[in-house]
Amino acid sequence: MSNLDGKRLLLGVSGSVAAYKSAILVRLLRQAGAEVQVVLTEGGSRFIGEATLQALSGRPVRSDLWDAAVEAAMGHIELARWADLVLIAPASANLLSALAQGRADDLLTTLCLATRAPVVVAPAMNRAMWEHPATRRNRALLEADGVTFWGPSTGPQACGEEGVGRMEAPEQILERLERHFAPGPLAGLRLLVTAGPTREAVDPVRFIGNRSSGRMGYAVARAARELGAKVTLVSGPVSLPTPEGVERVMVESARQMEGEVLARIEQCDIFVATAAVADYRPREIAPQKIKKGEERMELALVRNPDILAEVASLPDPPFTVGFAAESEALEDHARQKLRNKRLDMIAANLVGPGRGFEEEENSLKILWNGGGVDLPRVRKELLARRLLEIVAERYHEKQKHKAQGA
Ligand code: C5P
């Protein structure tokens, strides 16, 4: 059976000659068992007829934000919620620009703002348009917002030029969708991840921070999504794009992070705390920028909440995974943390010069009550994937025990 069976796809078709490929794509998606709702933009309708797309998708094509009769049957917000994935193929330069600006002046752009489903675009345009700085800028903005780009591919173009800008072949897009919807060991589970550093304000312009890049946490969020989980990432200030299909909530301080985590914790099955949360914050935040004065200055600090420990001690906690960055006696300190914070699992690594925070690679010692495994030094992306496969195993093991005990 296809992974697309029963999946609800909202297919946006915008103004490009590649729109003829959308018809083939609709046919392939329907054959794979997906429900397909086509949304045609004004530009798209210049290249392909509604009747074709309607016949192939088996549903009336939507194109108008203002059609009261159609809106009454399924309003645009409902339609945005209905979708498991929004795919725009072809996505024209104009459409990318509108999405990057967050415009909502037609049905398709409005749906993209209103949906919580992953948004994927398959661009199609002339080579020079694709390479234009404005299009590059729009792409960077969209990627930062979590939009995924499939293609464009390279080859002869309808305009007679040769180069990058062709919409990917429908068969290739189908393959990508199959992979996207492949069920993983975390399918159906909801995962909450904290990542990055926190900033603890001293005054309106200064803060106490740390060197966490957020890479490990973002890699964990991405890997969890790829393994099938529904993922929310509560992130301190970092300069990383939102991983595909992940909901991201940005925070600054430890207390904001605590608030956002606690507000969501009841709806989550697994909690992974990778954030480098400041242990202390200034006792008071000066209302104005502190002026230079005395030779010495002392800053009074108070303890921050330990978010991980707080979550693990809830009456009905999720499966809880902590991280431990240690500079010595790795296993002893990590086991202690596992016990003291009552965690289900801890991922420990040595930090120091050339290790940990700002590195692309890392190794991890993963420990749980009664067991453990060492993951050798690899890129953080791969490491996160391995870690999450172990999390999935241990989670299902724990559920089995719970069920047997009940
Ligand atoms: O005790 P320590 O700070 O070494 O524990 C590290 C683990 O605890 C990490 O998983 C980190 O994300 C989490 N933590 C937290 N809130 C804090 C401090 C640490 O969630 N205030």
Side-chain angles (χ1 to χ4, degrees):
M1 197 176 77
S2 161
N3 297 328
L4 291 176
D5 194 45
K7 291 287 181 291
R8 297 155 159 192
L9 303 183
L10 205 150
L11 177 67
V13 178
S14 65
S16 154
V17 62
Y20 77 90
K21 295 189 199 169
S22 312
I24 305 166
L25 183 59
V26 174
R27 187 153 178 73
L28 292 176
L29 297 176
R30 295 285 295 144
Q31 278 169 350
E35 288 183 56
V36 183
Q37 173 64 59
V38 177
V39 176
L40 196 56
T41 67
E42 161 86 41
S45 69
R46 306 282 172 140
F47 288 94
I48 188 160
E50 277 196 17
T52 308
L53 294 168
Q54 176 159 333
L56 291 171
S57 67
R59 285 167 167 265
V61 168
R62 298 279 300 260
S63 54
D64 191 355
L65 187 55
W66 305 107
D67 185 331
V70 184
E71 277 286 312
M74 173 147 35
H76 58 275
I77 299 292
E78 268 172 275
L79 191 55
R81 288 193 191 127
W82 170 87
D84 293 316
L85 182 118
V86 176
L87 169 66
I88 306 180
S92 65
N94 181 52
L95 187 99
L96 295 183
S97 158
L99 286 186
Q101 288 176 36
R103 295 236 304 268
D105 49 9
D106 70 359
L107 182 60
L108 186 55
T109 49
T110 305
L111 287 168
C112 288
L113 278 189
T115 192
R116 304 293 286 272
V119 176
V120 179
V121 293
M125 66 195 73
N126 162 271
R127 178 177 61 87
M129 290 169 79
W130 174 249
E131 286 166 0
H132 194 283
T135 308
R136 289 188 198 194
R137 226 170 19 240
N138 289 334
R139 178 186 183 164
L141 283 173
L142 287 169
E143 283 183 333
D145 287 348
V147 172
T148 302
F149 280 70
W150 286 350
S153 49
T154 306
Q157 301 203 295
C159 49
E161 290 190 38
E162 178 91 19
V164 62
R166 284 163 57 96
M167 179 176 131
E168 283 203 329
E171 294 75 14
Q172 211 171 345
I173 293 180
L174 180 72
E175 234 181 86
R176 288 192 188 257
L177 285 167
E178 286 285 357
R179 270 204 301 278
H180 175 90
F181 286 112
L186 293 174
L189 298 177
R190 292 153 309 175
L191 213 117
L192 190 60
V193 184
T194 64
T198 62
R199 285 182 181 175
E200 309 299 329
V202 174
D203 67 19
V205 295
R206 302 183 179 96
F207 59 81
I208 299 176
N210 62 64
R211 293 185 190 279
S212 166
S213 65
R215 273 197 61 174
M216 192 62 211
Y218 276 58
V220 163
R222 185 178 307 112
R225 173 69 196 85
E226 282 168 8
L227 295 179
K230 189 169 183 299
V231 184
T232 305
L233 177 61
V234 179
S235 169
V238 295
S239 55
L240 295 170
T242 312
E244 177 188 346
V246 167
E247 184 195 3
R248 180 168 77 162
V249 182
M250 296 302 289
V251 297
E252 288 243 335
S253 68
R255 286 201 295 178
Q256 281 169 352
M257 186 173 275
E258 180 197 29
E260 298 294 351
V261 165
L262 294 182
R264 290 168 177 80
I265 204 69
E266 271 180 27
Q267 296 96 45
C268 103
D269 303 294
I270 299 172
F271 177 62
V272 186
T274 74
V277 185
D279 291 324
Y280 293 90
R281 67 174 181 275
R283 192 174 58 201
E284 278 139 25
I285 304 175
Q288 303 300 336
K289 185 178 170 196
I290 300 171
K291 295 284 177 210
K292 264 201 288 296
E294 305 293 311
E295 268 314 303
R296 283 172 58 94
M297 173 185 163
E298 279 172 17
L299 199 58
L301 302 175
V302 292
R303 274 293 293 269
N304 261 335
D306 187 324
I307 305 169
L308 178 62
E310 216 175 326
V311 167
S313 59
L314 288 170
D316 184 19
F319 186 91
T320 307
V321 184
F323 270 68
E326 306 291 346
S327 58
E328 48 152 12
L330 185 64
E331 179 150 357
D332 285 353
H333 286 164
R335 284 231 177 258
Q336 233 167 44
K337 236 167 246 184
L338 182 72
R339 265 194 311 274
N340 293 348
K341 298 201 192 193
R342 289 197 272 161
L343 309 179
D344 291 295
M345 189 186 275
I346 195 153
N349 65 306
L350 279 173
V351 286
R355 293 180 128 147
F357 274 7
E358 288 167 313
E359 297 293 311
E360 302 221 332
E361 294 188 338
N362 211 347
S363 59
L364 284 179
K365 185 178 266 304
I366 301 179
L367 305 168
W368 57 88
N369 197 358
V373 59
D374 281 337
L375 298 182
R377 190 176 169 96
V378 285
R379 287 175 61 77
K380 286 181 178 173
E381 285 68 27
L382 194 53
L383 198 61
R385 179 91 184 196
R386 297 204 175 134
L387 166 67
L388 279 236
E389 282 164 359
I390 299 167
V391 167
E393 251 172 60
R394 302 300 317 160
Y395 170 84
H396 291 298
E397 193 68 20
K398 185 177 175 187
Q399 294 306 106
K400 224 164 53 193
H401 273 110
K402 262 195 196 168
Q404 282 163 358

